[in-house]
Each structure stands twice: as structure tokens, then as C-alpha cells.
Amino acid sequence: MTTADTNPTDTNTQPAEPGPMSREWHWHPDLPVNYAPYWHWPPKPKIFLRWVWQNYLQVSDRSIYLALAFFVAFWLQPVSPEQANIAFGWMARVFIRNWIFLLVVAGGLHLWFYGIDAQGKLLKYDPRPYMKRKNALYKFGYQTWDNMYYSLAFGAPLLSLYEVGLRWLYANGTIGTLEFSAHPIWFIMLFPLLALWQSFHFYTVHLALHQPSVYKYVHAVHHRNVNTGPWSGMSMHPIEAAMYLSAIWVVVILPTHPVHMVFLGYWLMLGAASSHSGYEAIWAKDRQALLIGAFFHQLHHRYYECNYGNGEMPWDKWFGTFHDGSEEATRRTRSRKRKMHAK
């Protein structure tokens, strides 16, 4: 659900014009689309280290959500003995915090790209304008209102409900708390491992949601968004939101610290906002200020029956549902879609 391209936009120059798929896209990264360099064989250490630097150690959506998790877990609302009891006060703070963070991230990105139109179509994938006209397809008649409704009524509250339950389990000692001082290597390695777990979970859940009998009643809500915006990320039917966000429950069986749980929660919810923004990056003062794009998933919203996972792991490549951005992949995907929905 986040960027994993190994050829990101040059951070100091004007981005290149669209390449071989310019008929379909206004802009796209270098093709073919690549997976995260964990899976390069033979290994390419320089590419791998550059990817780690860009995604975890430089300013990116991933590193911001990581920093936010540390801020919440160690300062704003650490797990404390009071959370061993069901009480309105601390539980309400979880819900309010997550609503605010989603409003700031999704709302801020929407304002930048589609409100004040701060960078026009620079680094925008879809050549079509974002849907602002009234359309009966959407609840309340408008795409943004529809997306905000599902995100704020179901997305953020469901993540908050899961977080409350997990905080209660941590506070009661049902889930052990892994301390950095005891296992520093495992503590650090858990962050990329949880991103890999989310990729597997997303692929399996997403594939199930695309079965025609389920898609029609559940996943179709999310796929109203072909030309996506930041609020599209968590715009899901409540059943889908519950399934998608359930990836966070892996901390019940993995030795973790609450910071890992918070990071995974924000990677799921806030990462969906940035990866659905419709742009590769925020461009300001003639340079790339923040890498956020996920062209891998943008291909899914355009062609539907492909790229069920994300660029973190090659599940789609292994199971024959990968779209690498080529015209041949488009023809193959459209053929597969016709066969699936003809049943």
C-alpha cells in the first residue's frame, strides 16, 4: 500500500515526462514496476541500502508514521496500568487521537493536491481531474464526502477499537512487552517484518474481497474510486475495514512492544491515505519534499483484477496476478477480469 519502487523520482530535478504508457497515464515511475529490493536475486546491496535509506531513514511517509508511533507509544499515550481496566477516559483518547491523525494526514494531503492545487498535475498518475462534480454513485453525491464518511465512520473507529483491545491486553500482561534493552536487534527488525506481514495479509484479504460474490456487496465501495485521492484509502465497507485492519492482531502472537502495534496501525490507516493520494510525491520548492506514491496500487485501481498485494512482497508475481505497467500486462489483466466476472 506504499511506495516500493526502486527508481524514485530524482529529488533535485524536474521529473521526466511520461514514458511508454503516456496514453494511459499523465506520469508514472520507471517501468516495469519493481518490488522492494528484499527480493532481488542475486542480491543488490547498493539498491537495498538506498531503498532502506529512502523509506526508513529519510523523510518519507513510512518514516513519518514510524516517528509518530514512537511519539504516541512513549510520550503521548504509552500503555499504562490504568489501561488494564475498561474506562471511558483513556479509551476516548485513543479514538480522538486516531480521528485527528487521519484528519490531518488525509485532509492535509487532499488540501495540498486537490484543494489549493499546490502542484497541479506534477507527478500525478491519472490524467483525469479528481471527481468534484456531483455523482449519484457516491453517498451524499460527491466522491470526497463519500470517502470521508466511510473513513471517519468506520476506518478510524475500527482501528481505534482494535487498538483499545490490544492496549488492554498489554496492560493486563496477556501480551508480553518486548523491551529494546533486552532484544535490540529483534526490536528494530520487527518494523520491516511487520510491513512484510501486512503485505501477506493484504494480499490474502484483498484476493478474497475480489471474489465476485463478495466484491459486489463489500469491496465495490472502495472501488468506486478509480481516480483516487487521499480520503479514498480508508473508504471501505465496514466489513472490509474490519478485515483489512485485522492485520494488527498479529502482535498477539509475536513478541512486540506497543510501539510496534501503533506503527502497524498507522501503516495500515495513514499509509492508505498517502498511497491513494494519486501522486508519486509532494513536490515543493523545485524538489521532491516527500515520497508517498504507490503506482503499484494505482494500477490495481485502474485495472481491478491485478496487484492485489503491494510492492513490499512479490505475491502477485508468484501467483500470476502481477501488473508491471506494460501494455501486455494490461491485456492479460483485462482477459482475466472478463473470465472472472463471466462465471
Side-chain angles (χ1 to χ4, degrees):
M1 304 194 58
T2 58
T3 187
D5 297 324
T6 56
N7 296 306
T9 306
D10 188 331
T11 59
N12 296 303
T13 61
Q14 186 77 1
E17 289 300 311
M21 286 189 69
S22 57
R23 291 178 299 169
E24 298 277 349
W25 305 99
H26 172 71
W27 186 93
H28 59 71
D30 292 343
L31 299 177
V33 170
N34 292 312
Y35 282 96
Y38 301 118
W39 312 104
H40 285 183
W41 192 260
K44 298 177 181 177
K46 287 185 179 179
I47 292 177
F48 175 75
L49 290 173
R50 185 178 69 178
W51 185 88
V52 170
W53 169 255
Q54 289 166 340
N55 285 274
Y56 280 102
L57 302 177
Q58 247 184 352
V59 179
S60 67
D61 57 349
R62 189 187 305 239
S63 63
I64 288 173
Y65 305 146
L66 181 61
L68 193 60
F70 274 87
F71 171 70
V72 170
F74 287 99
W75 186 79
L76 186 64
Q77 194 177 16
V79 170
S80 60
E82 72 162 340
Q83 294 172 21
N85 300 305
I86 303 299
F88 177 80
W90 73 265
M91 292 168 61
R93 289 196 294 275
V94 172
F95 279 78
I96 292 168
R97 164 170 48 82
N98 289 335
W99 266 317
I100 291 173
F101 285 169
L102 184 57
L103 279 165
V104 169
V105 173
L109 289 170
H110 181 88
L111 179 65
W112 175 264
F113 290 124
Y114 305 107
I116 63 174
D117 196 22
Q119 63 188 68
K121 284 190 174 182
L122 185 63
L123 298 180
K124 186 178 189 298
Y125 300 136
D126 200 308
R128 296 166 295 181
Y130 182 75
M131 178 67 73
K132 294 182 179 180
R133 297 189 306 273
K134 194 164 186 177
N135 189 319
L137 175 67
Y138 301 111
K139 193 178 293 293
F140 314 115
Y142 294 94
Q143 182 177 0
T144 301
W145 295 4
D146 179 89
N147 288 180
M148 290 183 68
Y149 166 74
Y150 282 101
S151 298
L152 296 172
F154 302 111
L158 279 166
L159 176 64
S160 301
L161 186 64
Y162 288 172
E163 184 181 333
V164 162
L166 289 168
R167 283 177 172 274
W168 181 80
L169 292 173
Y170 277 116
N172 278 286
T174 305
I175 303 177
T177 298
L178 178 80
E179 298 295 344
F180 176 81
S181 57
H183 301 282
I185 296 176
W186 177 248
F187 190 99
I188 294 169
M189 287 301 298
L190 265 173
F191 293 108
L193 287 173
L194 286 172
L196 292 175
W197 153 250
Q198 187 270 331
S199 180
F200 167 73
H201 181 272
F202 180 53
Y203 181 83
T204 54
V205 165
H206 202 180
L207 192 61
L209 289 166
H210 269 265
Q211 300 312 303
S213 57
V214 180
Y215 180 93
K216 179 180 178 181
Y217 299 104
V218 179
H219 196 43
V221 170
H222 184 66
H223 268 288
R224 292 171 185 168
N225 302 283
V226 178
N227 189 3
T228 61
W231 284 109
S232 306
M234 285 307 301
S235 180
M236 302 175 183
H237 188 284
I239 292 175
E240 177 178 357
M243 293 170 66
Y244 168 69
L245 293 168
S246 68
I248 199 173
W249 286 95
V250 71
V251 301
V252 172
I253 58 174
L254 272 181
T256 57
H257 185 279
V259 70
H260 299 108
M261 178 267 294
V262 176
F263 167 70
L264 182 53
Y266 288 155
W267 186 236
L268 289 162
M269 182 179 74
L270 302 181
S274 51
S275 67
H276 284 75
S277 65
Y279 284 77
E280 176 75 0
I282 293 175
W283 192 272
K285 296 183 179 179
D286 297 323
R287 70 188 307 274
Q288 180 181 290
L290 180 62
L291 181 66
I292 58 173
F295 188 67
F296 186 101
H297 192 66
Q298 191 78 19
L299 287 162
H300 173 77
H301 273 270
R302 174 68 69 86
Y303 302 115
Y304 290 79
E305 301 303 345
C306 63
N307 293 10
Y308 299 118
N310 59 30
E312 205 81 17
M313 291 189 74
W315 295 105
D316 288 280
K317 197 167 188 177
W318 292 338
F319 291 101
T321 55
F322 179 44
H323 195 310
D324 64 359
S326 67
E327 293 185 2
E328 171 56 31
T330 297
R331 288 191 291 268
R332 187 171 60 247
T333 300
R334 284 173 173 163
S335 175
R336 183 171 179 271
K337 182 180 178 181
R338 284 193 297 271
K339 290 176 182 177
M340 281 185 67
H341 293 272
K343 296 177 181 178

